[in-house]
Amino acid sequence: MAHIVSGDSGVHDVVEALRRGDVVGFPTETVYGLAADIRNEAALQRIFSVKGRPTSHPLIVHIADFDQLHDLAVGVSPACLALLEICWPGPLTVVVSAAPHVSRVCTGGRDSVAVRLPAHPLAQMVIRELGAPVAAPSANRFGHVSPTSALHVANDLGDDITLVLDGGPCAVGVESSIVDFSVTPPEILRPGSITAEEIRAILSHHGTDLSTSSHGPSRAPGMMDRHYAPRARLVLHEAGDPLPVDGAPILRFDTNLVDAARHLYERLRELDARHIPLAHVVLPTPSGLGFALRDRLSKAAAGL
Ligand code: TXA
Ligand code: MG
């Protein structure tokens, strides 16, 4: 079982492990990540093998300052920079053209790279002390429920990793919003807690549109239909629909969306811990953070 460490000494331990080429669990404000030093290709490859993730699904690179963005990316547009000035540090990832030295193991063979500056202070400390960005997908097995506590990571990845840095429960609870700036107009690839409305408003000041029409697994590899999925079967309902009275638990995600997002994955994990085969889920309306919740819940409910 992975060792859970915390505080300054925990940061130091995980940085030492990253320097040795290990992969470690680390906290961000969205979900916990499975981190590797971006300069170490063997460590990057280990992320894919620990997760059981196809090597064509690119990883998000986590940075601690804008200098690291300019080192990783080429031709970042003024509109993109303006958006990042407002939203970073925070739960927003941008896909931009990758500099030639960025490992194509990390980008899944693409010439674009996904970059995020997380708000969690321990994530920033790790990256600063290492002196390099870390690549990190969510720290769960491929297709399964994302982790929002150190214990979730240790339970999921068990003996395959040695260390998890405990940064407490994740404040946001759903993965970052992803905007692809490698296309014109830029396009939302994954909804998150920074909403399309907010992003569109910022970009419009720079005469830039935002497309929300992406459905392409080829555009956003790793976004297949079934994802974020517990073993329990989920039956989705719109708020206000009559609910079946069949004794199965009813999980409501239609009020207090910030809390609904924060506890989403914990509640899905609880179904499996209690060996519940089926649950009813009440969806939020599709606006604001409701889009991210509907996206994750519909993928969690999709058939195999
Ligand atoms: O909140 C988050 O973003 C979390 C935390 C740990 O930061 N990370 C996360 O990573 O959710 P992951 O690997 O589970 O999701 C990354 C997704 C990929 O599935 C892919 O769709 C998209 O980001 N992505 C990454 N690089 C890309 C690229 N170059 N082009 C298009 N999509 C990319
Ligand atoms: Mg993931």
Side-chain angles (χ1 to χ4, degrees):
M1 178 87 158
H3 197 53
I4 296 179
V5 295
S6 61
D8 287 353
S9 68
V11 169
H12 185 74
D13 291 346
V14 305
V15 169
E16 285 302 303
L18 289 167
R19 288 211 171 101
R20 283 196 304 270
D22 281 356
V23 297
V24 298
F26 93 136
T28 83
E29 73 278 25
T30 57
V31 301
Y32 275 69
L34 180 62
D37 185 330
I38 193 179
R39 300 166 297 188
N40 185 327
E41 285 205 334
L44 295 174
Q45 270 150 356
R46 176 116 181 97
I47 289 180
F48 292 95
S49 64
V50 168
K51 275 197 67 122
R53 168 166 167 147
T55 53
S56 57
H57 292 185
L59 308 173
I60 293 176
V61 181
H62 296 69
I63 61 175
D65 57 49
F66 277 78
D67 286 348
Q68 288 177 327
L69 170 69
H70 295 300
D71 181 54
L72 294 166
V74 289
V76 179
S77 70
C80 179
L81 275 178
L83 177 68
L84 297 179
E85 292 282 357
I86 292 172
C87 297
W88 276 1
L92 175 71
T93 297
V94 288
V95 174
V96 288
S97 293
H101 68 85
V102 175
S103 165
R104 269 35 184 184
V105 174
C106 182
T107 68
R110 296 167 171 245
D111 291 329
S112 59
V113 60
V115 187
R116 172 159 114 79
L117 201 170
H120 198 297
L122 292 188
Q124 293 183 9
M125 278 169 73
V126 167
I127 298 161
R128 278 208 197 93
E129 196 169 317
L130 180 67
V134 298
S138 52
N140 52 285
R141 304 272 183 208
F142 184 59
H144 289 183
V145 180
S146 299
T148 51
S149 76
L151 199 58
H152 292 165
V153 180
N155 285 341
D156 278 9
L157 301 181
D159 296 330
D160 286 346
I161 59 172
T162 52
L163 288 178
V164 185
L165 179 60
D166 191 350
C170 297
V172 175
V174 292
E175 297 81 354
S176 59
S177 317
I178 305 181
V179 184
D180 185 354
F181 278 91
S182 74
V183 292
T184 307
E187 189 170 290
I188 296 250
L189 296 183
R190 181 173 70 184
S193 69
I194 297 181
T195 64
E197 292 93 318
E198 292 167 321
I199 295 166
R200 181 172 289 119
I202 297 166
L203 293 181
S204 71
H205 289 299
H206 295 267
T208 298
D209 273 349
L210 178 70
S211 160
T212 52
S213 64
S214 168
H215 298 291
S218 61
R219 297 282 336 284
M223 302 213 172
M224 65 287 296
D225 288 345
R226 186 175 163 85
H227 208 138
Y228 316 107
R231 285 191 301 277
R233 192 162 80 82
L234 303 181
V235 183
L236 304 181
H237 305 272
E238 295 296 338
D241 284 357
L243 291 167
V245 188
D246 57 7
I250 295 169
L251 307 186
R252 304 202 71 109
F253 293 97
D254 57 328
T255 57
N256 193 346
L257 301 197
V258 169
D259 264 12
R262 193 174 288 156
H263 299 295
L264 167 69
Y265 291 130
E266 188 180 25
R267 292 172 76 188
L268 297 185
R269 281 165 183 273
E270 216 174 276
L271 295 174
D272 287 348
R274 290 165 56 203
H275 304 287
I276 289 170
L278 184 147
H280 297 288
V281 165
V282 182
L283 296 169
T285 54
S287 76
L289 185 52
F291 278 114
L293 282 160
R294 291 175 71 95
D295 172 68
R296 305 312 190 273
L297 285 164
S298 56
K299 286 175 175 157
L304 285 171

